[in-house]
Amino acid sequence: MITAPAPMPAAYDSGDTAWLLAATAMVLLMTPGLAFFYGGMVRTRHVLMMIKMSFAALAFGTLVWWVIGYTLAFGPDVGGAGLIGNLDHVFMKGIQLNTLTGAIPTYIYSTFQMGFAIITVALISGSIADRATMRGWLVFVVLWLLIVYIPIAHWVFDKDGWIVDHLGALDFAGGLPVELNSGVAGLAVALVLRAPRDFARREERPNNIPLVVVGVGLLWFGWFGFNSGSALTDQGTAAAAFINTQLGAAGAMVTWPLVEKWRTGRVTTMGVVSSAVAGMVAITPACGEINTLGAVITGLVVGAVSAYAITLKFRFGVDDTLDVVGVHGVGGLIGLIMVGLFATARVSGKEGLFYGGGWGLLGKQVVAILAVIAFSFVLTWIIAKAVDLTVGFRAKEEYALVPGEEAERAYDFQTAERLGALVSGRRVTSDDELVRQISRLLRARESDK
């Protein structure tokens, strides 16, 4: 006999629920989008590894969140300090079909927040592309979510978290726990895994720029759910976050290419799509707190700053391979500062420095930024170091120099390899070797002339 479900409480809102269901699907799509984005940016032999790292985060992040992540992030606060939730909802215990968070079923709210946790840890993989072991990555994903991400999520996203409740800082859609946190964590992990010997000389060339563009397109689509969904309603705040997301991306796509043209004399497709990501990163904490003018200015500023910031890794010798620090860390930092400058009472109810609010809100934003940077960097470094010393995190040095021990390939180069072997008379072991042999033949032909 089928038992009818309990009726929904009077506070339930079907429109808001429908919007959050759609937004949640959009957010979860961002991690496969990131897999394409990162997969296209690395060398051919590492495409599948990058894709697997994102999908590993998708699987393990989901299970960690179901077992204990949700309750630690959104369970009743322990001790009233706003630092962590309790264990009342382990395995989602006590959550029923008609249990609400606000006007929305808690099941879908929890899944929405799960998507944030997954994409955050997946972002970190870009800082250690081509030099991490899969076993080390899997252990790192679990430990980092439990020790670093979940406490910061409680501080920012839970109504009793110390950053939003005690401190009074503003972060609409995750500039602190997602963007700044992933950038700082990426820096810590990159330092632990160290740059390869040829880092300063090696030219990183994307293996498939169209794949990168497809990945950015999926990220862009998902970001509307990421930011607008954070309003938890289908009303005006979601609409403001929606248009501000687009404006932030557009602003960054103007200034980044200008800086790239000034620095290198050309504008690249990689620069254009990376600028869109930087704009959406920066607008994430601010999208529901500032007006459209503030969104455009935020995009213009982050485009110029991030275009320069990604070059600093060469100066300091830190192999942030896919620019997680320069895009997500720097972009999140700028967006959080912009809230303190451009927040307007007409949108958020609070006023930033440029709208008559004085220095108070900006000071709170700075305190929140410094707290997350210190917490994330120190604990991430310890976790990465412990993983490396136990199960092994850094791949062997030769991993970056010879083909991986994979049973499958991202692309089928067999025909090209046979051609290379035919014209060169030598055995071809990889697509990189094919390119080298053909280049050698071309140089020899030029010298004969």
Side-chain angles (χ1 to χ4, degrees):
M1 179 177 181
I2 299 176
T3 303
M8 299 302 291
Y12 170 73
D13 189 297
S14 59
D16 291 347
T17 299
W19 162 235
L20 198 64
L21 283 165
T24 300
M26 294 163 72
V27 172
L28 290 173
L29 182 64
M30 293 177 75
T31 300
L34 183 73
F36 292 153
F37 180 50
Y38 280 175
M41 291 175 70
V42 296
R43 289 179 289 180
T44 303
R45 69 188 68 170
H46 299 131
V47 175
L48 296 181
M49 181 66 171
M50 293 309 302
I51 291 175
K52 287 191 293 185
M53 290 176 83
S54 287
F55 276 85
L58 189 60
F60 280 71
T62 297
L63 295 176
V64 168
W65 191 260
W66 169 68
V67 172
I68 198 171
Y70 171 76
T71 189
L72 291 177
F74 294 99
D77 191 71
V78 175
L83 298 177
I84 199 70
N86 67 15
L87 299 177
D88 283 0
H89 302 304
V90 172
F91 296 102
M92 300 293 289
K93 181 180 66 175
I95 307 299
Q96 307 298 326
L97 292 178
N98 61 350
T99 303
L100 299 184
T101 297
I104 298 162
T106 298
Y107 275 136
I108 191 57
Y109 177 75
S110 174
T111 309
F112 179 69
Q113 290 293 342
M114 175 199 296
F116 280 52
I118 292 168
I119 190 68
T120 305
V121 71
L123 285 169
I124 300 171
S125 66
S127 285
I128 51 176
D130 79 14
R131 62 187 194 280
T133 64
M134 182 55 73
R135 64 178 180 276
W137 174 246
L138 296 178
V139 175
F140 175 83
V141 165
V142 173
L143 294 178
W144 190 84
L145 286 173
L146 289 172
I147 298 171
V148 180
Y149 177 81
I150 288 170
I152 297 177
H154 183 77
W155 301 353
V156 176
F157 291 139
D158 189 76
K159 61 182 178 58
D160 297 319
W162 79 266
I163 285 181
V164 294
D165 185 41
H166 300 207
L167 178 62
L170 295 179
D171 181 1
F172 188 78
L176 288 164
V178 178
E179 307 300 354
L180 182 64
N181 188 17
S182 63
V184 172
L187 175 61
V189 176
L191 289 173
V192 171
L193 269 62
R194 304 186 308 278
R197 289 185 303 238
D198 63 342
F199 167 63
R201 310 186 303 273
R202 187 176 64 192
E203 182 183 6
E204 289 291 348
R205 297 176 63 88
N207 79 88
N208 191 329
I209 293 179
L211 188 64
V212 174
V213 175
V214 169
V216 171
L218 292 173
L219 286 170
W220 200 327
F221 175 74
W223 229 301
F224 290 116
F226 193 96
N227 287 351
S228 296
S230 295
L232 304 183
T233 175
D234 59 357
Q235 303 300 313
T237 304
F242 202 101
I243 189 172
N244 284 343
T245 300
Q246 182 70 12
L247 291 172
M253 293 176 73
V254 171
T255 50
W256 181 308
L258 290 176
V259 172
E260 189 177 41
K261 178 70 173 178
W262 173 70
R263 286 188 56 254
T264 66
R266 66 183 187 275
V267 175
T268 65
T269 303
M270 282 298 304
V272 171
V273 297
S274 295
S275 67
V277 174
M280 289 183 284
V281 165
I283 204 61
T284 291
C287 60
E289 315 290 359
I290 64 179
N291 59 22
T292 54
L293 175 62
V296 172
I297 294 174
T298 298
L300 293 172
V301 170
V302 76
V305 175
S306 286
Y308 173 73
I310 63 171
T311 68
L312 296 179
K313 64 183 181 181
F314 299 105
R315 177 177 299 180
F316 295 105
V318 178
D319 187 8
D320 173 28
T321 316
L322 305 184
D323 301 320
V324 179
V325 180
V327 173
H328 293 272
V330 173
L333 175 66
I334 290 173
L336 289 159
I337 294 295
M338 288 297 178
V339 173
L341 298 177
F342 288 98
T344 170
R346 291 185 177 182
V347 180
S348 67
K350 292 187 178 182
E351 295 177 333
L353 179 63
F354 294 161
Y355 285 84
W359 295 92
L361 179 58
L362 182 59
K364 294 174 182 178
Q365 297 297 110
V366 171
V367 171
I369 289 168
L370 294 176
V372 169
I373 289 176
F375 184 85
S376 178
F377 183 86
V378 172
L379 291 182
T380 301
W381 190 93
I382 293 172
I383 293 168
K385 196 69 175 177
V387 171
D388 194 36
L389 292 174
T390 52
V391 301
F393 202 176
R394 178 180 169 81
K396 295 180 180 179
E397 186 72 18
E398 58 266 26
Y399 177 82
L401 306 176
V402 300
E405 299 176 353
E406 299 291 341
E408 55 187 356
R409 294 182 177 185
Y411 311 109
D412 183 4
F413 287 103
Q414 290 183 359
T415 301
E417 289 175 2
R418 294 193 198 101
L419 175 63
L422 178 65
V423 300
S424 66
R426 297 178 58 182
R427 181 173 178 267
V428 179
T429 57
S430 71
D431 52 290
D432 289 347
E433 177 65 21
L434 171 61
V435 171
R436 284 194 293 270
Q437 291 194 25
I438 293 176
S439 297
R440 190 180 301 114
L441 286 170
L442 292 175
R443 287 196 301 269
R445 177 175 295 183
E446 290 296 322
S447 63
D448 290 341
K449 292 180 180 179

